[in-house]
Amino acid sequence: MDLVRDVMDKKLLDRSDRELGRVDGLIMHVGPGSQPRITHILVGGITPWMRLSQVLARVAGKLARMWGPKRGDPVRIPWSCVKTVGHDIKLDVLARETGAI
């Protein structure tokens, strides 16, 4: 699987096809003596800005703390919740359980 092509920026749908947003980032675990593996999907927060520039991410973080919603951190959705990866990414979880909406 090509993570950039097949996962990044794809629409996330919950168990009942409710949209949760888009994949803004991924968390990967790299341990000694083991293969790297994706552990979480990141949605929202300053994650999209981090992909562009660390400077923009810091500015976006400061602005979010000053004027943004109470939750400025990205939502982490466990990779184990991914059911299918296709045109959209289907999750085996309800949107309200993730905190993304």
Side-chain angles (χ1 to χ4, degrees):
M1 174 183 317
D2 182 323
L3 291 173
V4 174
R5 181 194 67 218
D6 297 337
V7 177
M8 294 299 293
D9 296 322
K10 295 283 178 124
K11 190 183 329 176
L12 292 166
L13 300 173
D14 77 352
R15 185 179 301 144
S16 57
D17 290 330
R18 186 172 182 186
E19 190 173 336
L20 282 86
R22 293 189 176 265
V23 177
D24 293 319
L26 298 169
I27 296 177
M28 181 182 289
H29 173 75
V30 180
S34 67
Q35 293 288 324
R37 62 185 173 86
I38 302 300
T39 60
H40 291 84
I41 294 172
L42 295 176
V43 181
I46 64 167
T47 307
W49 296 105
M50 291 186 325
R51 290 171 51 192
L52 296 173
S53 158
Q54 291 297 322
V55 173
L56 289 175
R58 281 193 295 274
V59 170
K62 287 179 184 178
L63 291 174
R65 283 188 293 279
M66 289 170 44
W67 295 303
K70 293 178 184 174
R71 187 189 78 236
D73 293 329
V75 172
R76 291 179 178 216
I77 299 172
W79 183 258
S80 60
C81 293
V82 174
K83 238 170 110 171
T84 60
V85 175
H87 179 69
D88 300 320
I89 296 179
K90 181 78 171 175
L91 302 173
D92 189 24
V93 67
L94 293 174
R96 69 176 177 270
E97 296 170 347
T98 65
I101 57 169

